[in-house]
Amino acid sequence: MCAHDEDVLTLSAEAAARALAAAGLDPGAIDGLWWGTTRPPFAEGPSHAILAAAIGLGSNSTGALLSGSPHAGIEALLGAADAIAAGSARVALVVAADALRPGIGTSFETRAGAGAAAYILTSADVSGGEAGALIGARVTRTYPLLDRYRGDAELATRDVYDPRLFREEIFLPPIREVGEHLATLEPTVWSLPDPDGRLGGIAATQLGARGAVASDIVSKAVGDTGAAAALLGAIAGLDAAGTVAVIATGGGRTTGVALVADVAVPGAATLQHLLDEGNEASYAEVLRSRTELVAVGESVPMGVPPQSAMFVRGANEMLSLLAGRCADCGTLNTPPSIHPMCLSCGGTKFETVALARRGIVHTYVVNRTMPAPFVAPLGIAVIDLEDGARIMLQVVGDGADIEIGAAVDLVLRRYAHERGVPVYGLKARVRQDPPDIFGDAVEGNGFDGTGDETSTIKEQ
Amino acid sequence: MAWNKVAVIGAALINFGELFDQSYEHMAAGAFQAACGAVDKGFDPTQVEAAFVATQRGTLWGQEGIAGNTVPSAIGLAGIPCTRIENACPSGSDAFRVGAMAVASGVHEVVLVIGVEKMRDKSTEEGLLSRAAAGHPIFTRGETAPVLFAPFATRHMHEFGTTREMLASVAVKNHYNGARDPYAHFRNEITIDDVLNSPPVCTPLHLLDCCPQTDGASAVLLVSAERATEFTDSPVFVAGFGVATDHPYLHEKSTFTSLTATVTAAERAYKMAGIGPADIDCAEVHDCFTITEILDIEDLGFVEKGKGGIASLDGETSLTGRIPVNTSGGLLAKGHPIGATGVAQITECWWQLRGEAGERQVATRNGFALQHNVGGRGSGVSVVNILTTNR
């Protein structure tokens, strides 16, 4: 599940940052973002643009937001692959993410989860034959059957069928059909849809899947991750050489893709570490994270609301944490929109730069007297970033792990939900010890290298 | 030589507290009438030529923003020139400075400086939210008032070994003084354990490390030094003042163990008065939180940087200490009706210098008292006024 200040967009940003770190790529190297999710933060709005800016993609980046069903994740993968094949992108970022929102009290509720998987796809001339996987086959079947759905303006996903009717007539037949095609490639590992913790196993049995079902560990740990499930499960199979058969289904469509890896894909091995990091959450916390439990006072307006001119001026600098570097003395003035003159020397010429996303706590507080919509305790820290800038930001969590000198990473979180508009910005997170399994590919790229949900795939 | 171009001939405040039964206008009138009544040789209110009114919050119900035209009417002086001064927590002390400059300029000979603030007409929750949601959508979100000062406590404790007991000793001392001030919001003594065991508000600050939300008003009357003896045989003169600003956001601070605006404002005030910190007999300083007073007494030069905590614990700032601080009870016990705070501090200094502070009276060997506020976002502005009985 998400924390109260997380959603599909923040999960996606974090997975993307890890994928970039695993690939050793700067975000400026990405030509486009293909993003699949059933729950973009805006039903209509700048979801894709906000995520692209938060990841640090250039304003000339391309890509697409795919949505509408849990099939959207694999559509993002294939959309990116097609763009590379067509030559319109050389390096593509694929993010499949979801945070399901079931009806309160429905049977669907207990299996609804949240997660994000990010892949980086490159054309063969970019990857130069380095570690990665190839898309070996793809197959799609379409039947105009109703599965789970959500009507216009509805908040909770409907899960309408008798379980056996769903299983026998809607879920299993197309998976068998697609899976039998993939089985001819003799996959070593399968990533199968598993919306309830049992259907995946039944599908595997019917397919006679000889390989391990990699998606099991994901669905057991975090439940049904919707549009993220297929690519999350596939990561579990990409930590070694072999062929991973990936199947996604939803919205009347079922697609299978075979990913063929000669060696382990960078970043894939950290998945298990991340799945093991779980904490218990109360039902109230779960409801709050899904915005199904809203405290009285939630509608208190921000001092500077999203419809204000300040948001227009500051749109990029808040998502990307920009500063104006003084041309005369080098001082970093944050944010640029409120600093017409240098804090140190009064200079008026600036170069806009993105600040480092790692730093050290100089001092901090834990604010414990915060009425809703704030969530107390709320850590707030003054942080000295690695590039010499000083910044003050909220700290993720309950403040118990903050201390002077603590190393922090900056991560995207949702600061507010103002009259239906989610407001995003960076928060600090106290860095935990990185897992040993994370490779050397994180040097010098400015991103968090701790833990990963990623793969690199070469397009054939 | 001290500046001494302007004299304070009357000063007063109303009883601070939760004044649910009094309007903004009633509080203003009460303070003004009391100040007129405090003039030794009598004072006809119509002698006031101009007024400066300090009110920090301009959005209580809309009319405080135009206090410059509502207050004269409320206090029976409709027709006089009156200007609202807003300069964050030092609004009252800055109104005093501006009033003194108006007199010194020769434009007006008799000026009223009045501070009025309603803090309790809005709910605590509403007040907290308005602060926490104000300002930059990301960089200041969640910044209730303690967030502006508690990071300094964290760092001061880290660098100098200042302890929570040392912080608590400031609250204990100020409540002791407040118990002896009939105008104080809180007139009860407390112990260090009371402070340590009070609920956490913004770590490392607990409830009794924080000043309350208080309604109040205070007024002082200023005349040119030449005319002071028309009104009193015991005038108190404005020896000097200083104002300084600093970058407003905490991430723009170079240090978290000093409020640099205070240091600069004090340097300017001392220079203008021709004295140094050792010449001050007593001081009313900005103790919105216990850590703030510790920073103040260091930044004003009363104790060495880093020693503010231990000096407080050792009693150096008590009524009988080397440099008595916040004899009125300070913001912590007397209360902090923002616009009125600085004017009320001036009033306490006036009483101390005239020997009228009753149980709280301290020895005034040198005849100098100092008044100080610091505030704004990230302590971005500080005002220091110095008063003297020396002619």
Side-chain angles (χ1 to χ4, degrees):
Chain A
M1 58 168 275
C2 295
H4 69 86
D5 56 356
E6 289 183 305
D7 63 13
V8 156
L9 191 141
T10 68
L11 292 177
S12 297
E14 188 150 9
R18 287 176 171 161
L20 286 161
L25 282 177
D26 185 89
I30 302 294
D31 297 320
L33 164 66
W34 279 260
W35 186 21
T37 179
T38 67
R39 295 278 180 172
F42 297 89
E44 176 178 345
S47 302
H48 185 278
I50 288 175
L51 179 60
I55 295 168
L57 304 193
S59 60
N60 59 346
S61 62
T62 182
L65 169 58
L66 296 310
S67 194
S69 80
H71 191 255
I74 210 158
E75 288 173 29
L77 178 76
L78 295 177
D82 288 346
I84 287 173
S88 60
R90 297 176 73 220
V91 183
L93 173 62
V94 175
V95 181
D98 237 332
L100 302 194
R101 183 163 164 180
I104 293 174
T106 63
S107 60
F108 179 39
E109 190 173 18
T110 53
R111 42 194 163 92
Y119 288 58
I120 290 169
L121 274 58
T122 68
S123 57
D125 63 313
V126 172
S127 62
E130 290 172 26
L134 298 169
I135 294 182
R138 63 159 90 171
V139 54
T140 296
R141 289 293 178 268
T142 295
Y143 299 100
L145 290 171
L146 182 70
D147 56 347
R148 72 186 188 208
Y149 75 99
R150 173 161 57 101
D152 195 24
E154 290 186 349
L155 296 177
T157 300
R158 290 174 183 259
D159 197 19
V160 291
Y161 287 105
D162 172 271
R164 289 189 56 80
L165 171 62
F166 176 73
R167 179 178 116 175
E168 296 302 330
E169 299 301 326
I170 295 167
F171 182 80
L172 289 173
I175 288 176
R176 271 199 306 269
E177 194 174 345
V178 165
E180 280 160 8
H181 276 275
L182 296 180
T184 61
L185 297 175
E186 300 187 342
T188 46
V189 180
W190 291 76
S191 172
L192 294 170
D194 193 8
D196 69 348
R198 291 179 295 130
L199 287 170
I202 294 166
T205 303
Q206 296 198 352
L207 285 168
R210 283 179 295 136
V213 180
S215 48
D216 275 2
I217 64 163
V218 177
S219 62
K220 280 192 171 60
V222 292
D224 180 7
T225 52
L231 298 192
L232 264 179
I235 290 175
L238 290 170
D239 61 347
T243 297
V244 182
V246 190
I247 298 179
T249 187
R253 293 197 291 164
T254 304
T255 292
V257 172
L259 301 176
V260 184
D262 293 337
V263 294
V265 173
T270 56
L271 178 72
Q272 186 65 55
H273 169 81
L274 289 163
L275 293 173
D276 290 344
E277 273 187 334
N279 298 310
E280 294 287 321
S282 70
Y283 188 51
E285 287 169 328
V286 173
L287 291 178
R288 185 176 172 82
S289 75
R290 295 180 190 147
T291 66
E292 284 170 339
L293 182 64
V294 179
V296 171
E298 197 84 26
S299 62
V300 169
M302 300 179 75
V304 182
Q307 70 269 30
S308 66
M310 183 178 182
F311 259 80
V312 178
R313 290 192 296 270
N316 258 327
E317 66 191 23
M318 283 186 280
L319 285 171
S320 310
L321 195 60
L322 301 181
R325 181 190 281 137
C326 177
D328 294 326
C329 74
T331 296
L332 291 161
N333 295 264
T334 312
S337 67
I338 61 169
H339 287 109
M341 299 181 72
C342 176
L343 288 166
S344 296
C345 75
T348 55
K349 288 182 181 165
F350 299 97
E351 176 197 2
T352 301
V353 297
L355 291 178
R357 298 198 179 185
R358 297 157 67 100
I360 300 290
V361 172
H362 180 73
T363 188
Y364 71 96
V365 304
V366 182
N367 200 346
R368 299 176 190 278
T369 49
M370 303 292 290
F374 293 93
V375 178
L378 171 67
I380 298 178
V382 175
I383 298 151
D384 288 333
L385 298 175
E386 287 183 348
D387 52 17
R390 181 169 277 184
I391 194 74
M392 186 164 89
L393 292 171
Q394 293 185 11
V395 183
V396 170
D398 63 4
D401 55 353
I402 316 173
E403 56 185 12
I404 288 177
V408 297
D409 301 303
L410 306 191
V411 293
L412 191 75
R413 292 292 173 123
R414 193 180 58 213
Y415 266 79
H417 214 114
E418 171 79 12
R419 293 172 211 175
V421 180
V423 176
Y424 298 97
L426 293 165
K427 294 187 181 181
R429 182 173 60 197
V430 176
R431 190 178 307 149
Q432 308 302 328
D433 292 333
D436 296 331
I437 48 177
F438 204 83
D440 297 323
V442 296
E443 295 296 324
N445 51 32
F447 274 97
D448 177 2
T450 61
D452 207 273
E453 298 169 352
T454 62
S455 292
T456 306
I457 295 175
K458 288 174 292 185
E459 173 63 7
Q460 220 168 6
Chain B
M1 273 299 294
W3 187 60
N4 283 16
K5 292 181 179 173
V6 176
V8 184
I9 57 159
L13 61 150
I14 62 171
N15 285 329
F16 281 8
E18 284 185 325
L19 308 181
F20 293 126
D21 59 337
Q22 291 187 46
S23 67
Y24 177 89
E25 290 76 8
H26 271 96
M27 296 196 307
F32 174 57
Q33 289 155 8
C36 293
V39 178
D40 293 338
K41 298 181 181 177
F43 185 83
D44 175 358
T46 61
Q47 289 173 274
V48 171
E49 297 174 18
F52 295 92
V53 54
T55 291
Q56 198 272 320
R57 294 183 158 191
T59 54
L60 182 58
W61 57 283
Q63 292 297 66
E64 297 78 6
I66 52 164
N69 78 51
T70 60
V71 167
S73 167
I75 65 175
L77 292 178
I80 64 163
C82 180
T83 304
R84 175 183 169 219
I85 303 287
E86 191 291 306
N87 208 351
C89 286
S91 292
S93 40
D94 204 23
F96 179 81
R97 179 188 69 103
V98 171
M101 291 195 297
V103 172
S105 73
V107 173
H108 300 296
E109 292 189 351
V110 182
V111 161
L112 165 68
V113 175
I114 184 165
V116 193
E117 200 80 50
K118 269 287 178 193
M119 301 294 286
R120 294 294 295 130
D121 270 27
K122 278 193 174 177
S123 72
T124 302
E125 180 172 319
E126 203 174 339
L128 277 172
L129 281 171
S130 68
R131 278 307 294 261
H136 192 280
I138 304 300
F139 297 119
T140 65
R141 190 153 173 89
E143 262 188 34
T144 51
V147 175
L148 299 173
F149 292 91
F152 291 81
T154 306
R155 195 70 203 180
H156 205 278
M157 295 164 98
H158 178 77
E159 289 194 22
F160 301 121
T162 303
T163 62
R164 278 202 60 215
E165 286 75 9
M166 293 178 190
L167 296 178
S169 71
V170 173
V172 171
K173 182 259 298 175
N174 289 355
H175 275 254
Y176 177 91
N177 297 350
R180 285 151 184 78
D181 181 350
Y183 298 95
H185 187 166
F186 291 137
R187 302 199 59 208
N188 59 306
E189 293 183 23
I190 57 173
T191 66
I192 284 188
D193 279 344
D194 289 337
V195 184
L196 298 183
N197 296 328
S198 62
V201 169
C202 184
T203 306
L205 302 177
H206 285 231
L207 185 64
L208 290 174
D209 287 296
C210 308
C211 72
Q213 299 261 306
T214 302
D215 301 322
S218 179
V220 302
L221 292 162
L222 301 177
V223 302
S224 60
E226 298 80 42
R227 290 187 58 188
T229 51
E230 288 176 35
F231 301 96
T232 177
D233 293 330
S234 308
V236 171
F237 299 100
V238 181
F241 45 72
V243 185
T245 54
D246 188 19
H247 303 306
Y249 291 98
L250 288 185
H251 74 263
E252 297 165 349
K253 298 288 172 194
S254 55
T255 173
F256 282 85
T257 55
S258 171
L259 302 176
T260 53
T262 295
V263 175
T264 312
E267 283 170 3
R268 290 171 181 161
Y270 287 137
K271 185 180 176 192
M272 188 169 169
I275 61 168
D279 298 309
I280 301 295
D281 293 318
C282 62
E284 289 289 300
V285 308
H286 199 82
D287 59 327
C288 50
F289 302 96
T290 49
I291 182 61
T292 324
E293 181 170 316
I294 288 171
L295 296 167
D296 296 340
I297 61 176
E298 296 171 358
D299 293 337
L300 293 166
F302 299 149
V303 303
E304 192 184 326
K305 178 52 66 185
K307 305 287 191 195
I310 190 70
S312 298
L313 190 63
D314 287 351
E316 288 191 42
T317 53
S318 69
L319 290 179
T320 54
R322 179 171 64 81
I323 169 72
V325 170
N326 284 331
T327 58
S328 69
L331 284 55
L332 285 167
K334 188 173 66 180
H336 185 21
I338 304 175
T341 295
V343 186
Q345 290 174 311
I346 295 282
T347 302
E348 178 72 6
C349 291
W350 190 71
W351 283 330
Q352 288 287 357
L353 288 173
R354 285 161 53 97
E356 297 174 347
E359 276 189 89
R360 316 187 302 283
Q361 186 62 48
V362 301
T364 51
R365 301 177 192 85
N366 303 315
F368 286 101
L370 180 145
Q371 178 269 333
H372 159 264
N373 288 129
V374 64
R377 189 166 284 291
S379 299
V381 58
S382 177
V383 175
V384 172
N385 291 299
I386 299 175
L387 302 182
T388 185
T389 47
N390 301 338
R391 289 169 193 265

